[in-house]
Amino acid sequence: MLDGKVKASEFPLLYHITPEEGLLNDPNGLVKFQGSYHVFYQLNPFGTVHKNKCWGHVVSEDMIHWKRLPIALAPSEYYDKDGVYSGSGIVKDGKLYLFYTGNVIVNEEERKSYQCAAVSSDGITFEKLGPVIEHPIGYTRHVRDPKVWQEEDGSYWMILGAQTEELTGDTLLYRSEDLLNWESCGSLLQDKPELGYMWECPDLLKFNESDCFLFSPQGLPAEEKRFLNTNQTGYLVGKFSQTDHFVSVSRFQELDHGFEFYAPQTFRDGERTLLYGWAAAMPASNEQCLPTIKEGWVHALTIPREVALIEDQLIQKPAVELKQLRVNEEQSTFSLDMAKEYRKTMAHAYAELVVTFSQHTKDFVINISDAFYLKHRYKEQEIIIERKNWETGQMEQRFGFYQGTLTDLTIYLDGSMIEIFINGGRLVFTSRYFVYGSQRELIITGELGAAEGIIYPLALQ
Ligand code: FRU
């Protein structure tokens, strides 16, 4: 939703960031600059395929009402002529610096990656400063996605997603005093887990006691209930220090269990850490069958989420700003008793559903028309989501487990997007689902004990 207009579409999204035309992928350069939130994103403005990558740009005071700005960075120089790939933003001396990867096709066999910088005083027009890092020895051309942050002592640090010449995923660490001269510090991880052949979009999230290394590995073999998308996103919990780099103390955990989630990025906003992800179509082969393709646009970012680390788990909650969307006067509340069915026809496709469960909750199903099902299996402490695949028409499933008891669930519905937050954001699912027309039927069946629910219609106000 931008400039007060919902995009004319059969599947309009009201409060998610979408491209005006073309293909959107990773969130880039997330930053608060001169009092406004800036969200950049990978954009092919010329078509719905992965080519001509630029940085699309939107700006907002509240992360709800967005204004579209001109494309911030587009291919133009020898070092980025075939794509301005993903990266991050940071403010220094009142200027906004962007770091990105320039993609260059030398010939059929040879491609190159350059890690580049750009700078702006107004946050709207950017001057390219060119490459700032030499290509590391021992790595293939798959080195990209610079994420930059500042440490308390004033030094700047950068991590890059990388592939070693042995074709394993890795993350490289660099240090700088001025954002322009960078020295190599080797690998981010001392003990690198064997996870796929390439790690994309690395990010380091710093919390009080522990830190979190978030990344998107490619090439993890699918398991029965995990790693079922084309590529995965997950994290390791540990501690970053300038001397030891990142020492991890946990195993790799998936961040989002839905069908559509990849390449997230975080940024600091005062005391909180916010995250946007790319609601990517997975499996990627489905992408060109997405119903919006015929309207000339494809994909969206997730809603902004506040992330926190509780013990060894990264939890995600919808940013509080989203509460502004609630049309409070029209909310409907309901109680769900054992073995009763609750049905509600929602007049439009934008709603927030909040349910709190009692200790008597057992198995139940929530379905949105006949296109999306959420199933709770209490003995297994499992949530299964099921939707109709838009390519094959077959139902398909994704899985997630919680610990303890089921306490609460929040569902954000926005046109063809659904985001589900369970148990205070400990278990999260992002997915697209397609229902024609603006009505949605919400049906809840099963044994819910004495659960209480609220449905808020959502609108831009
Ligand atoms: C992740 C990614 C990044 C790359 C960008 C190109 O989706 O492959 O690694 O920078 O997309 O659009």
Side-chain angles (χ1 to χ4, degrees):
M1 197 325 289
L2 295 144
D3 298 332
K5 294 184 293 252
V6 177
K7 189 175 166 58
S9 162
E10 225 178 327
F11 316 99
L13 299 181
L14 184 69
Y15 51 91
H16 283 82
I17 295 171
T18 55
E20 195 165 26
E21 277 175 284
L23 177 145
L24 167 152
N25 56 300
D26 317 351
N28 291 159
L30 306 177
V31 72
K32 196 165 187 186
F33 178 60
Q34 296 176 351
S36 299
Y37 294 99
H38 288 255
V39 169
F40 303 84
Y41 51 87
Q42 286 285 283
L43 171 70
N44 174 4
F46 305 118
T48 50
V49 292
H50 286 274
K51 266 188 173 174
N52 318 309
K53 293 296 173 71
C54 301
W55 279 32
H57 188 187
V58 293
V59 68
S60 172
E61 307 286 299
D62 59 4
M63 293 189 287
I64 301 292
H65 303 86
W66 293 97
K67 185 170 179 291
R68 222 179 263 288
L69 291 178
I71 284 176
L73 297 169
S76 64
E77 307 297 324
Y78 79 89
Y79 50 77
D80 63 14
K81 72 180 183 59
D82 298 300
V84 175
Y85 276 10
S86 286
S88 57
I90 192 166
V91 179
K92 176 176 179 278
D93 302 333
K95 291 186 175 162
L96 175 54
Y97 285 81
L98 301 181
F99 292 86
Y100 67 93
T101 302
N103 177 43
V104 173
I105 302 175
V106 182
N107 56 45
E108 285 273 296
E109 277 95 61
E110 205 191 339
R111 283 162 184 254
K112 282 191 171 171
S113 302
Y114 293 91
Q115 315 311 326
C116 310
V119 67
S120 172
S121 304
D122 61 5
I124 300 174
T125 49
F126 291 84
E127 180 198 344
K128 289 186 180 172
L129 302 173
V132 291
I133 280 184
E134 298 220 345
H135 193 81
I137 295 166
Y139 291 84
T140 71
R141 70 169 178 91
H142 292 288
V143 175
R144 56 179 170 264
D145 309 336
K147 177 77 201 277
V148 173
W149 77 96
Q150 188 173 28
E151 286 280 294
E152 268 168 20
D153 67 359
S155 57
Y156 295 97
W157 294 76
M158 178 195 285
I159 45 180
L160 292 172
Q163 180 179 59
T164 65
E165 279 174 348
E166 292 76 44
L167 305 187
T168 60
D170 201 354
T171 293
L172 294 168
L173 181 68
Y174 293 82
R175 181 185 191 281
S176 171
E177 290 297 329
D178 60 5
L179 287 180
L180 298 177
N181 298 289
W182 292 91
E183 77 180 92
S184 164
C185 303
S187 186
L188 174 73
L189 297 185
Q190 289 191 344
D191 264 327
K192 191 166 65 77
E194 291 273 320
L195 285 167
Y197 56 78
M198 166 65 190
W199 294 356
E200 297 190 307
C201 301
D203 199 351
L204 190 74
L205 286 62
K206 304 199 73 183
F207 300 101
N208 290 336
E209 301 294 308
S210 303
D211 304 319
C212 191
F213 170 52
L214 176 65
F215 60 117
S216 294
Q218 296 181 310
L220 297 192
E223 295 175 9
E224 192 195 346
K225 296 200 170 179
R226 296 201 306 163
F227 310 152
L228 294 170
N229 293 336
T230 306
N231 297 316
Q232 326 304 325
T233 293
Y235 60 95
L236 301 170
V237 177
K239 193 77 199 156
F240 174 79
S241 72
Q242 297 189 14
T243 42
D244 294 338
H245 306 169
F246 190 83
V247 181
S248 128
V249 294
S250 78
R251 64 186 178 90
F252 179 77
Q253 300 182 65
E254 274 182 285
L255 183 62
D256 186 301
H257 297 258
F259 295 92
E260 273 79 50
F261 187 83
Y262 194 61
Q265 187 177 97
T266 65
F267 69 109
R268 292 288 290 184
D269 177 27
E271 288 301 300
R272 59 182 180 165
T273 303
L274 294 171
L275 173 145
Y276 277 94
W278 169 32
M282 299 277 182
S285 60
N286 273 348
E287 184 178 81
Q288 293 308 314
C289 304
L290 263 164
T292 66
I293 288 268
K294 63 178 187 303
E295 298 177 353
W297 67 283
V298 67
H299 304 314
L301 298 183
T302 63
I303 54 173
R305 302 170 180 182
E306 185 172 344
V307 292
L309 196 59
I310 297 190
E311 286 154 14
D312 69 341
Q313 226 190 337
L314 203 51
I315 62 163
Q316 307 174 71
K317 291 184 179 172
V320 289
E321 282 82 350
L322 286 147
K323 293 204 168 115
Q324 292 172 42
L325 292 165
R326 291 176 176 177
V327 183
N328 281 313
E329 318 76 73
E330 287 175 30
Q331 77 184 50
S332 38
T333 53
F334 54 88
S335 299
L336 296 154
D337 297 330
M338 300 270 274
K340 279 224 180 112
E341 184 182 271
Y342 175 79
R343 275 176 183 269
K344 163 116 183 147
T345 303
M346 295 186 288
H348 65 53
Y350 320 114
E352 179 191 347
L353 168 69
V354 181
V355 186
T356 30
F357 300 100
S358 75
Q359 59 197 20
H360 304 296
T361 298
K362 299 214 163 62
D363 289 357
F364 65 84
V365 180
I366 298 180
N367 58 304
I368 319 287
S369 302
D370 63 351
F372 191 92
Y373 295 79
L374 179 150
K375 298 182 175 172
H376 175 236
R377 300 174 69 197
Y378 93 103
K379 280 202 188 115
E380 291 77 8
Q381 296 170 300
E382 182 177 22
I383 301 285
I384 304 174
I385 60 164
E386 205 169 288
R387 66 138 184 234
K388 199 181 280 177
N389 181 300
W390 47 77
E391 186 180 5
T392 60
Q394 304 290 313
M395 297 308 282
E396 54 186 348
Q397 297 182 320
R398 291 292 182 271
F399 312 86
F401 295 87
Y402 59 85
Q403 284 166 5
T405 53
L406 183 68
T407 55
D408 57 271
L409 167 153
T410 299
I411 298 183
Y412 274 87
L413 295 173
D414 186 8
S416 53
M417 181 80 77
I418 182 164
E419 284 170 72
I420 302 167
F421 301 84
I422 289 159
N423 281 5
R426 282 175 177 76
L427 180 60
V428 178
F429 296 84
T430 306
S431 292
R432 303 297 294 276
Y433 74 110
F434 289 89
V435 173
Y436 289 80
S438 58
Q439 284 196 352
R440 300 282 181 279
E441 193 170 26
L442 172 72
I443 305 166
I444 307 181
T445 42
E447 290 189 47
L448 287 110
E452 300 287 330
I454 307 179
I455 302 171
Y456 298 94
L458 301 181
L460 290 167
Q461 315 179 56

